Amino acid sequence: MNTAISPISPASRLRAALGDAAGSRLPVQAIGAVNAMAARVAVEAGFDALWVSGLEVSAAYGLADENLLGSRDLADVVTSLRRVTDLPVIVDVDNAAGTGPSAARYGFDLQAAGAAAVCLEDSRYPKCNSFSEHRAQGLADAEVVCEQIKELRAAAPHLLLIARTETLICGGGMDDALARAELYETAGADAVLIHSKDRTGGEALEAGRRWAGAPLVSVPTAFPHLDRRLLGEAGFVLAIYANQLSRAALAAMRGAAGGFRSTGVFEAHRLADVQDLMRIADPDARACL
């Protein structure tokens, strides 16, 4: 277990890293981590921060990604991550249940759990996943989102607050997306995220060219070909790889289980050592397997 505590707060370290990224034009890279095991993998791979994804946590709990998570569900994940690493943790709070008081509770609980940042989106309650085809995402009233930002900020003054607009996801234009981002910055957001499902990456690059305000964040799920260098040159200071480790784990589990059903044995080359598993929580653990 990692018990070392940095004298600098997670939010302060993340703010400093974003400032450095603006100068170097190499974005901070955050990876989705749904549990301590994923956090260990992220540390070993050299990621700069962790992302607690609403989709990943919902899937792990057997819930649809439709505003079914509460603040304590997310805070428990933050606690488990911080047991094994002091990397800054950014938490996806979706639309924080759609009201100012509910946003304040999310902020308070997650700051108390040790999160460095939260990402609040402007989807209409109840939300659906940005890439859903079975349901359509809707936008909340911008004034309501601004009130959520203000109340969350008041309840959790030490958190870095990322405001995410779903305008492009909902079929709106870039002008409207940028206008909402400006409103959210004025309301108190520290950074903005203009989410896009354009697989070419063209919308993301356009947002980078046209945005001149608070630090700009990207979730390049739909456009993974835009690597760190390209995103940095486009003006992004933080790139969040939101769900790749869960998707990799799901594929690997299916491969191992499928192999067993075919052969009757679990093949060692498909599995981590028992000792490797034990060392997630106890780096000094030893095992004979």
Side-chain angles (χ1 to χ4, degrees), residues 98-208:
T99 72
S102 60
R105 182 183 177 187
Y106 274 86
F108 183 90
D109 287 353
L110 291 167
Q111 180 174 274
V118 294
C119 181
L120 173 71
E121 69 184 49
D122 60 0
S123 59
R124 185 173 61 230
Y125 183 90
K127 59 94 62 171
C128 68
N129 187 273
S130 301
F131 302 112
S132 294
E133 289 191 337
H134 63 288
R135 281 184 52 201
Q137 186 79 286
L139 287 176
D141 187 287
E143 292 184 2
V144 172
V145 181
C146 289
E147 184 59 31
Q148 286 186 288
I149 290 170
K150 292 173 183 176
E151 293 206 30
L152 197 157
R153 167 66 67 223
H158 303 300
L159 285 179
L160 189 146
L161 200 164
I162 303 168
R164 164 174 158 176
T165 181
E166 296 281 282
T167 303
L168 302 178
I169 298 294
C170 296
M174 186 63 70
D175 289 345
D176 290 338
L178 294 170
R180 277 189 174 246
E182 289 175 4
L183 287 175
Y184 302 157
E185 180 183 8
T186 300
D190 298 297
V192 300
L193 195 169
I194 300 172
H195 200 26
S196 171
K197 58 184 177 183
D198 169 28
R199 296 190 181 199
T200 71
E203 283 184 339
L205 296 177
E206 181 184 353

